[in-house]
Amino acid sequence: MAKLILNHVSKQFGTGRPAVAGLSLDVREGGFLALLGPSGCGKTTVLRMIAGFEAPSDGAIFLGERLLANAAQSLPPERRNMAMVFQSYALWPHMSVADNVGYPLKVRGVSRETYRNRIREALDTVRLADHAERRPAELSGGQRQRVALARCLVTEPDVVLLDEPLANLDRHLRQEMEETFREFHQRSGATMVYVTHDQSEAMALATDVAVMSQGKLLQVAPPEEIYARPEGRLVGSLIGRGSVLSLNLPGGLPRKLTWEELRPVLASPALGSTADILVRPEDIALSGEGIATRVRSSLYEGERYSLILELEDGQILRTFSRHRPQVGDVVHVTIHSAWRL
Amino acid sequence: MAKLILNHVSKQFGTGRPAVAGLSLDVREGGFLALLGPSGCGKTTVLRMIAGFEAPSDGAIFLGERLLANAAQSLPPERRNMAMVFQSYALWPHMSVADNVGYPLKVRGVSRETYRNRIREALDTVRLADHAERRPAELSGGQRQRVALARCLVTEPDVVLLDEPLANLDRHLRQEMEETFREFHQRSGATMVYVTHDQSEAMALATDVAVMSQGKLLQVAPPEEIYARPEGRLVGSLIGRGSVLSLNLPGGLPRKLTWEELRPVLASPALGSTADILVRPEDIALSGEGIATRVRSSLYEGERYSLILELEDGQILRTFSRHRPQVGDVVHVTIHSAWRL
Amino acid sequence: MHGYVRPGNSQPAWLFPFIVSVVVVLSVLPLARLAVTGITAFADGGAVAVLTDRALWQATYYTLVTAVLGTLISVLIGSLFAFLLTLTDIPAKGPLSFLFVLPMMIPPQVTALAWVQMSGPSSPLLKALGIAPPLGSPQPLYSLGGIALLYGVQHAPLVYLALRAGLLGVPRDGIEAARLSGAPALRTFRDIVLPLALPGMIAGAAIAFVSCIGNFGIPAILGIPASIYTLATLIFTKFAAFTDRTFGEVAVLSGVIALISVAGLAVQERALGGRDYRILGQAGAATSFQVGWWRFLFVPVLLIVLFFMLVAPFFALLAGALVPAYGVPLTLETMSFNAFQEVLLRQTVTRTAFANSLFLATVTAVGLLCLSVLAGYVLTRRRDVFARIVASLIEIPYALPGIIVAVAFILVFAAPLPVFNVTLYGTIWIILLAYFASFFAVSLKPVVSAYRQLDPALEEAARLAGAGFFRRLKDILVPLVAPAAGASVILVFLIACNELTVSALLWSAGTQTLGVVIYNLDDSGGSDLASALSVLVVLMVVVMMLLLEWLAKRLPKGVVPWRS
Amino acid sequence: ANLVLYTSQPNEDAQATVDGFMAANPDIKVDWVRDGTPKIMAKLQAEIAAGNPVADVLLIADTVTLERLKQDGKLLAYKSPEAANYDAALYDKDGHYYSTKLITTGIVYNTSAGLKPASWQDLAKPEAKGLVTMPSPLTSGAALIHAQTLTAVDGLGWDYYKALAENGTTAAGGNGAILKAVASGEKAYGMVVDYMPIREKAKGAPVEFVFPSEGVSAVTEPVGILASSKNVEAAQKFVDYVLSVEGQEGFVKLGYIPARNGVAMPEGFPARDTIRVLPLDAATALKNTDADLKTFSGYFSSN
Ligand SMILES: Nc1ncnc2c1ncn2[C@@H]1O[C@H](COP(=O)(O)OP(=O)(O)OP(=O)(O)O)[C@@H](O)[C@H]1O
Ligand SMILES: Nc1ncnc2c1ncn2[C@@H]1O[C@H](COP(=O)(O)OP(=O)(O)OP(=O)(O)O)[C@@H](O)[C@H]1O
Ligand SMILES: [Mg+2]
Ligand SMILES: [Mg+2]
């Protein structure tokens, strides 16, 4: 196990825009990196380059001292000792579930007994022990995804690549699987790279979160850090469910703003040069006082309502409420804290 | 547009356990039904029977007065005027994105101009206008899913079936797409059946939520109702992120329990016949008073920490906290309200 | 009720009956008529004598041994080419696969003769190397092994084309997942690629096997000198000494061939049995294996194989066309273009034959493609006994030697058709019908295996889009099975182009085919003319293939087998 | 309807014959089909079985084949006025068929071969071991007749064939294949019909043909009219034409020995009286066919 290093990696598919552009990233030894970013930003492409399915058009990838790939040469995937859950699962339709899961073991030539035990264990973990003899075509979407998961975790890889491994699972299974990842990570010490659209998943599992957009890396930081101190508008709006306001901030203020600092700014219209301010929903309190906003929409989410509030100048704030305000109502809010991006 | 009626529908795949067992369900005219349930419970199978890809082994499906299918006969899918987003997308690899999206229009023989306009609109909606000439193989996972979405919404179907249509999209797109569904639903009045694992999605969009498990229907109700008054342990634990306690309730209590009613029960050990009590995380307050619990785990989720608290007798409670307690700490909680399942 | 179908049924109600009636006309009727004639010929007994004749069982044994060995060899060569030229990055893939399709155009007799000469006492090659055997030493090709080897060489392109279509359907992420699991290239090939391409491979093997059973040219040249009779050559000897029992004997022999081919089909079903080949999600493996330095081994190997399969026989043909008489050494002085002038300018029948054969081959290839697309659909969707019977009935005519098919068709069609009161016999249409019957199996095989690999969701999505059966056939299914459809059309076209034995009995004035003309020229001592015409046929095919190459941009991806 | 001729003559010869006939009878049009005798017979028999034979006139192979058709009642009896000019052995006395030419089978050898054979017995000599090839009676009717003729000769008999088999002789394909094998030097000696090597030699091929001293067998390419013919008159004219001096001279021009008495020999052939044609009784030969084939394959299946 060693550090995974991406050094100025680019990938062109010949479509004009590069899928990945000059991305540099270190994943520390035994780290658990969550890779976030909008659809089509190049996450899968990064994983595929790490695994060795695509050669970088430029730059180099190392695992510790060992060169994995650069534009000229590339270690074949079968010699990288990695494992991956594919976004498309990539199950082998001609093999049973058990054979799919056991294939990496078979290639490594383990004894029959170990083979059987490890398959059973892996299938137990993903709750598919009684589907061992089925073919992938006879499984539901989530079951297929779980087979892919079991196959990924059955060996002892140096690097584990997970491409939306839980997208098709219900919440319960998801929680169980997250637990499995955590255990696996602790037990094996493998370096893990995890692509997901589910942020609470990412935050809960990862030691570091990387945010990409349009092939570029925007920020890497531990979860708490990236949530509390995102850099730039894109990261700010991508992480968490906050809203970004353009406000006319006076100079000399700290990045973390309090209600006292915000209140005067909110009252004055945004003119001239503006700054982007991130306001998290949990930092907004619906109270009788504060500034007036109009409820633009309120959506039931079970636990609470998710509100979109409109400021006077038309900018919006997102927040939650346990009660349902009527659309069009005027509510007063205070903003405990905000973050200048 | 008319009511969609599933009448005692069953489906056997010959694997011993039926995939769907005696399911009866009405989706009201122009309704928006969210279908929830654990992985492998038969959701996709229900959609496939409504679409006409699988014939029910037993029972019948009607759209208004019109029989769609029973065990003996079936209206072919091409004559049902439905649209579907497949869990596996089912894009046609030999066609460009635009052709994929436009195919249902082409079959309907619309004029060239309408054809082009409608495709452009649909692709704009899913933010793929500049990928119109690509092949599906050259798209990312989320982009493929969006093509499938665009194809589904391009015509004016009577019934729209959505099988995890947003599983691979980031939060922003997801919100936009939800908005699109809502608009589409209002504009077209189509009956929609929506399978998802994301409950806030389901709650926010649906007029009714149906919960399935192991091929059976457990409960159908409007979102607020099913969240507030779930029937049975399964629905209770599936909807929302609550925890279910087994408690020794005295007789004569209402189903909705207050702290006053709960407090004595929690103090006494659960012996003899017990009742299942659902406690929602948002109904738990961490306060200096109340009963003592030990923090078993606390996971960062960005907005807040998700806690698992252990009661004295080992049962667990889930709740949230904006601050991070240490694992092993003792915290006192009060439970504002709970629900007897 | 109107518009309803049986549950789980995606094909229109008329489709299966339609296919059944086609099969009845093309296969059941002629075969049944032959059987009836055979039984009548045995009116006074004698069937037992034929069945207990040692020669019959000997021939059956030889047929089986040579066919099985030949199939193995052709699978070996065909797979080597298909794999290297479809999935790896070796250089010059296009030209190599272009050339590999050509050997099908060289009549088997020519290849056989070329090889006999190459390995015989008068071989220029061996002479040059100084290892030519002395005059009169036994010819090693006159043996079971020799026959099998030539079968293998002759049918390798069939396997190549069918397997290539299968390989194109293997999903790329499946290969990648295997590589990441730690499987090196060969292992991935064995565990993932091969099993997933199995339908294509088995289709190829089945075509090769059935072709071997029915082949006449190769065992006639290589077997008879060593007194090795296969069923096909044995049938021919029965016709040579015609008696009133001949039809009976021939029917029995044909029955044995039919049994072998049905058994072959059963083996094939068994091999595919119960498994699922539906590719889930995105297909399209494209180039997935880097050969690296191995290319310096692979490319020469492919070139050597091509030399023996194509170059040597072709130059034997060319030499035969350029010398004035057989046995005259080819030198600059003896060389003459007389034969070409004769066939091109003076023999009017050449033009007729070109026109006829082109017409027949084109209509057969295209017509059978349409039938195959329909039949393949039905046969993969309904997997019941009836489907299997229909599949066998389609198979049998191809397994029978052409002369039998022709006789059966004469029996049915020599008399005017009832009701219509027209006689097909003596027109080009009866040849066309017989071609349809003979080559249906060739056309169907690759298409069926491609259907097996299809992800059903793709058709379902089209149905939901509102596309009726023909619509989705045209827009979705056919483009998706395009590589197989391309293979099917090209296979049938090439085979029909220089077909001989069926048309030999069915032609009449004005309906000569190229095969018939070449054979007659050769048989009448004009071997130089025959060679010249064969060379011209090969050139014509090359030109047509180049035309296809030019068209390829407008055809669906994968249709043209030498483009990747 | 046109007169339909089924023939096994080579292409050009068939065309020449038909052209000659049509020149002599401008009001009759002829369609012809040519193929090897087995295929022509298969076609004809299948047509007969289907109840609609297309052919009117046959001009094929040998008297044994036509004798068989005659015995099945498939041939029409026609007494041609030209018959007077033929040996009685050359036509059926009831007029079902008439021989039209003599195609003899002798020995061809490659000019580079060591031994210059002069008799059939020479082929069984040790010098020819493994160097001889011949058409197989199992696939060629002419080869069968050849075998039946030779084995009826005193001093040859089936023992001769046995000796050939032991001497490594191969029995392969048809006459064309034999010629190719010998011309290309793959084999040194072969049994083959006369006109092929004589023609090829003229074109420069390194082959020589000999009429062995014991005599040669001959097939006579008889002509006959099918009983089912709907064109009897034209068919009779055709028979008369091929038997006439004019028709016979046409064959000579093509390089065949004429059957009619008093017609000159073609170029490259020795005088008619130096060639000893061995006799064959069609009816007897027909009767023994099965047994002879068995004997033959008994000798030749062991190698
Ligand atoms: N073709 C089939 N043959 C046999 N069993 C099948 C087949 N298709 C589905 N099943 C089984 O039927 C059950 C229901 O499958 P279905 O696909 O409807 O689940 P689902 O609710 O959509 O699950 P998911 O959320 O994982 O997609 C599963 O247990 C699955 O294994
Ligand atoms: N084979 C290809 N050819 C051309 N373009 C491609 C190819 N594969 C991916 N792309 C493009 O590269 C970009 C990055 O794709 P990638 O699959 O890495 O995105 P992603 O971040 O994984 O997105 P998602 O979350 O939707 O899966 C996308 O815009 C996609 O269209
Ligand atoms: Mg992706
Ligand atoms: Mg599903």
Side-chain angles (χ1 to χ4, degrees), chain A residues 131 134 137-143 168, chain B residues 13 15 19 38-45 87 164 197:
Chain A
H131 290 63
R134 293 245 188 121
E138 300 167 350
L139 296 180
S140 78
Q143 288 166 339
N168 277 297
Chain B
F13 281 113
T15 49
S39 165
C41 72
K43 304 179 296 295
T44 299
T45 309
Q87 201 167 6
E164 311 256 10
H197 285 304

Side-chain angles (χ1 to χ4, degrees), chain A residues 44 87 163, chain B residues 140-141:
Chain A
T44 300
Q87 200 167 8
D163 202 352
Chain B
S140 78

Side-chain angles (χ1 to χ4, degrees), chain B residues 152-204:
Chain B
C152 173
L153 301 182
V154 81
T155 54
E156 271 145 20
D158 294 339
V159 178
V160 177
L161 306 169
L162 302 159
D163 200 352
E164 311 256 10
L166 308 181
N168 277 298
L169 302 186
D170 58 288
R171 177 167 299 160
H172 275 256
L173 264 171
R174 236 169 156 119
Q175 273 166 0
E176 277 181 38
M177 293 304 120
E178 281 177 32
E179 203 44 55
T180 309
F181 289 151
R182 206 173 285 116
E183 268 170 31
F184 180 88
H185 183 223
Q186 267 155 20
R187 176 164 44 89
S188 71
T191 304
M192 316 212 11
V193 183
Y194 189 108
V195 167
T196 180
H197 285 304
D198 184 319
Q199 294 188 16
S200 54
E201 227 170 80
M203 299 283 173

Side-chain angles (χ1 to χ4, degrees), chain C residues 325-338:
Chain C
Y326 217 84
V328 179
L330 180 63
T331 62
L332 275 182
E333 290 89 67
T334 54
M335 189 166 91
S336 91
F337 287 94
N338 264 339

Side-chain angles (χ1 to χ4, degrees), chain B residues 11-250:
Chain B
K11 179 71 197 180
Q12 306 265 4
F13 281 113
T15 49
R17 235 182 298 148
V20 174
L23 183 128
S24 293
L25 179 67
D26 288 11
V27 188
R28 65 173 106 137
E29 194 177 324
F32 195 132
L33 180 84
L35 199 53
L36 300 183
S39 165
C41 72
K43 304 179 296 295
T44 299
T45 309
V46 169
L47 292 199
R48 290 176 57 80
M49 286 193 288
I50 296 174
F53 304 137
E54 310 274 2
S57 316
D58 200 11
I61 304 176
F62 295 87
L63 187 62
E65 303 288 284
R66 193 154 134 240
L67 173 71
L68 291 185
N70 60 23
Q73 59 186 72
S74 165
L75 193 67
E78 60 267 33
R79 305 189 42 196
R80 295 189 180 199
N81 194 27
M82 298 183 174
M84 177 163 176
V85 174
F86 288 72
Q87 201 167 6
S88 60
Y89 317 152
L91 301 183
W92 298 301
H94 60 292
M95 295 185 184
S96 71
V97 165
D99 291 342
N100 261 286
V101 172
Y103 188 68
L105 295 173
K106 207 158 151 195
V107 170
R108 283 167 178 77
V110 306
S111 75
R112 277 221 62 73
E113 203 181 339
T114 328
Y115 177 78
R116 248 172 301 151
N117 292 343
R118 294 268 277 281
I119 291 180
R120 188 155 23 78
E121 270 168 40
L123 285 180
D124 277 339
T125 323
V126 297
R127 305 264 175 275
L128 281 179
D130 51 347
H131 290 62
E133 290 317 314
R134 294 244 188 126
R135 304 264 155 179
E138 299 166 349
L139 296 180
S140 78
Q143 288 167 339
R144 287 179 201 171
Q145 192 161 40
R146 284 182 274 159
V147 177
L149 256 172
R151 181 177 67 186
C152 173
L153 301 182
V154 81
T155 54
E156 271 145 20
D158 294 339
V159 178
V160 177
L161 306 169
L162 302 159
D163 200 352
E164 311 256 10
L166 308 181
N168 277 298
L169 302 186
D170 58 288
R171 177 167 299 160
H172 275 256
L173 264 171
R174 236 169 156 119
Q175 273 166 0
E176 277 181 38
M177 293 304 120
E178 281 177 32
E179 203 44 55
T180 309
F181 289 151
R182 206 173 285 116
E183 268 170 31
F184 180 88
H185 183 223
Q186 267 155 20
R187 176 164 44 89
S188 71
T191 304
M192 316 212 11
V193 183
Y194 189 108
V195 167
T196 180
H197 285 304
D198 184 319
Q199 294 188 16
S200 54
E201 227 170 80
M203 299 283 173
L205 284 169
T207 59
D208 293 277
V209 177
V211 178
M212 284 181 70
S213 172
Q214 303 205 337
K216 294 207 183 61
L217 187 67
L218 300 180
Q219 190 178 0
V220 205
E224 263 119 345
E225 162 107 14
I226 209 165
Y227 191 82
R229 285 185 287 282
E231 293 293 340
R233 195 184 173 104
L234 264 165
V235 181
S237 61
L238 258 166
I239 300 283
R241 296 170 72 180
S243 34
V244 178
L245 301 177
S246 287
L247 296 179
N248 212 343
L249 275 197

Side-chain angles (χ1 to χ4, degrees), chain D:
Chain D
N2 295 349
L3 184 71
V4 180
L5 166 70
Y6 279 14
T7 178
S8 62
Q9 297 183 97
N11 254 1
E12 294 161 55
D13 304 1
Q15 188 63 56
T17 310
V18 167
D19 287 349
F21 172 68
M22 290 202 293
N25 298 275
D27 50 333
I28 303 177
K29 284 232 164 340
V30 182
D31 286 340
W32 56 273
V33 167
R34 88 144 301 266
D35 220 318
T37 305
K39 287 190 194 153
I40 285 283
M41 285 303 290
K43 185 176 166 87
L44 182 66
Q45 295 279 6
E47 287 174 8
I48 291 171
N52 186 27
V54 174
D56 296 304
V57 185
L58 301 178
L59 178 57
I60 52 173
D62 52 72
T63 45
V64 180
T65 307
L66 287 202
E67 177 67 25
R68 183 180 296 134
L69 285 174
K70 172 195 162 187
Q71 289 182 12
D72 288 349
K74 299 289 192 283
L75 291 184
L76 187 85
Y78 166 58
K79 297 241 151 98
S80 170
E82 305 281 353
N85 300 308
Y86 286 73
D87 272 359
L90 286 178
Y91 62 91
D92 176 47
K93 60 180 185 316
D94 304 324
H96 289 96
Y97 53 84
Y98 298 86
S99 297
T100 61
K101 57 183 107 147
L102 297 179
I103 301 174
T104 69
T105 295
I107 298 174
V108 63
Y109 63 91
N110 191 298
T111 45
S112 66
L115 173 84
K116 310 271 178 241
S119 73
W120 294 114
Q121 288 289 9
D122 287 347
L123 297 185
K125 284 185 178 160
E127 294 97 305
K129 192 165 179 64
L131 295 179
V132 184
T133 181
M134 64 184 177
S136 167
L138 294 172
T139 48
S140 153
L144 176 62
I145 286 172
H146 175 68
Q148 288 179 322
T149 313
L150 282 199
T151 51
V153 174
D154 282 346
L156 289 174
W158 279 107
D159 286 347
Y160 173 64
Y161 270 86
K162 192 173 173 194
L164 282 181
E166 282 161 1
N167 207 25
T169 300
T170 56
N175 285 297
I178 303 296
L179 183 72
K180 279 184 194 170
V182 175
S184 67
E186 190 198 325
K187 295 281 177 184
Y189 314 100
M191 298 185 185
V192 79
V193 294
D194 51 26
Y195 66 93
M196 278 192 185
I198 290 174
R199 279 187 201 174
E200 289 296 300
K201 184 188 169 196
K203 287 197 233 162
V207 292
E208 196 68 58
F209 185 78
V210 285
F211 292 86
S213 52
E214 294 96 333
V216 291
S217 73
V219 292
T220 58
E221 199 136 279
V223 63
I225 302 170
L226 279 173
S228 57
S229 169
K230 295 166 203 99
N231 261 329
V232 178
E233 219 168 292
Q236 291 174 345
K237 282 196 181 140
F238 185 84
V239 172
D240 290 344
Y241 169 78
V242 289
L243 298 182
S244 71
V245 177
E246 205 185 344
Q248 290 285 307
E249 279 172 347
F251 290 141
V252 172
K253 237 180 264 154
L254 294 170
Y256 298 103
I257 306 172
R260 189 182 172 111
N261 296 334
V263 180
M265 288 290 276
E267 226 173 284
F269 283 76
R272 172 77 185 263
D273 46 15
T274 63
I275 304 171
R276 198 172 147 213
V277 178
L278 296 165
L280 175 78
D281 179 37
T284 324
L286 183 54
K287 215 164 52 220
N288 294 339
T289 294
D290 275 359
D292 289 344
L293 284 177
K294 278 234 163 60
T295 316
F296 179 86
S297 50
Y299 292 150
F300 281 84
S301 65
S302 44
N303 54 343

